[in-house]
Each structure stands twice: as structure tokens, then as C-alpha cells.
Amino acid sequence: DQATQRALALYREVGIAERLPRILYEAGVIGLFRTAYTEAMAHFDEGLRRARELSDKQAEGALQSGIGVLLQERGELDDAIVHHAAAVRAFHDLGNRHREISALYYLGGSFLERGSHDEAIKLLARAFDRMGGAGMRRYEVLIAGALASAWAIVGQLETAHSWLARGREA
């Protein structure tokens, strides 16, 4: 969109190179929400390249996650899994539990969409356990709902209902 392009142009003019990967991430997210996937991927790709040049591991993890979400949206689940897994590793190594849990949620969701239910359950349960009272209500609800879906798919309705109850509690 024109506003995003204008903002990026102004930001580039100012020339704060070390912040550019994070700005490109945000521009990619805007494109993703607008379903402008080509534009979003261009921002994510440039941002990832620049984050690597700057050794900005936080931005690199965020950009890997953004690419994973975009690929997941397009149904390219195997490639999405690669990027989500890279984001999980990056955030885990940085000690950023909040972002690690988010990346685990998306990674588990990709496995669930791909039909790898056991792997999805394992990853989503790990994400839920990692919260450990971190006050992440949004993710408690999202992960509990995904786990309820996964357990229902594999025919474990009682377990699915218990996860739905946990989601309602959250």
C-alpha cells in the first residue's frame, strides 16, 4: 500500500540501518494482513537478509516467523515448518519465551494443518507448558483451542473437551 511504501522510503532516507530489519518486518506484517503476499514476502526477505548482515537475531527470528505465517497462509506447509522451526530456535536461544511460545504455536499449527497430528500435539503441549504462568492469556486460549482440535481429530473427545475447558478458563 502507498502509506507503507511512503513510510519505508522516509525511513530509508533517515538511514538508521540497524533498525531497518524490524521496520521491514512490520511492513511485511501489514502486507500479510492485506493478503498482499508478494509484497509481504519481499519485505520479509529483505529484512531477513539485512538482519543476518547485522547479526540481529531478534529481528531474524521475527522475520522467520513472518515468512512461516505467510507460507502457512498460502498452504506451503513444509516450507512454513522450516521457517517456524528456525524462529523457535532463534527465540529459544535468545531467551525470549514469549516469542518462542508464539513460534511454537505457529509451528504446531502448521503440523496440524499438514495432518501430522501427533507432532502438532507434542509441539502445542510444549508451548502450553512453556507459558508456566507467564500471563499470556491470548496464547493460552489459542493453544488450548488448537490442542482441543488436534485431540478431537485423533478421536480423543474427552481430552479435547478438557482442553476446551482450559481455553474457556483462560
Side-chain angles (χ1 to χ4, degrees):
D1 97 356
Q2 288 180 342
T4 303
Q5 295 308 321
R6 195 168 52 251
L8 270 172
L10 289 171
Y11 194 85
R12 288 178 200 275
E13 236 177 78
V14 173
I16 307 171
E18 67 273 5
R19 296 292 299 163
L20 190 56
R22 295 165 192 241
I23 300 304
L24 287 161
Y25 166 78
E26 296 299 339
V29 169
I30 291 167
L32 183 61
F33 286 147
R34 291 179 40 250
T35 65
Y37 296 143
T38 302
E39 176 185 314
M41 187 61 90
H43 294 314
F44 288 145
D45 283 342
E46 181 187 354
L48 185 58
R49 182 177 47 79
R50 290 179 180 269
R52 287 177 174 156
E53 288 168 1
L54 296 164
S55 298
D56 185 344
K57 298 297 183 189
Q58 184 72 32
E60 186 174 338
L63 288 151
Q64 289 281 16
S65 187
I67 292 168
V69 170
L70 190 151
L71 293 169
Q72 189 175 351
E73 281 291 311
R74 292 194 321 204
E76 299 173 36
L77 299 174
D78 291 339
D79 290 335
I81 286 167
V82 170
H83 289 280
H84 288 314
V88 170
R89 278 190 303 279
F91 292 130
H92 178 81
D93 291 349
L94 289 166
N96 187 332
R97 190 168 62 153
H98 178 86
R99 292 300 303 259
E100 178 188 356
I101 290 164
S102 171
L104 278 167
Y105 165 73
Y106 286 110
L107 179 60
S110 290
F111 274 102
L112 185 59
E113 286 181 47
R114 190 174 78 173
S116 303
H117 307 118
D118 292 341
E119 189 65 26
I121 289 168
K122 205 166 51 177
L123 289 163
L124 292 165
R126 179 174 150 203
F128 198 90
D129 290 344
R130 288 282 294 141
M131 279 186 281
M136 298 176 62
R137 292 284 188 214
R138 174 177 172 239
Y139 279 101
E140 283 184 57
V141 174
L142 290 170
I143 294 167
L147 279 163
S149 296
W151 284 110
I153 289 168
V154 298
Q156 299 292 322
L157 298 183
E158 194 170 306
T159 304
H161 285 294
S162 88
W163 278 106
L164 281 177
R166 288 176 93 165
R168 276 191 214 101
E169 261 179 52

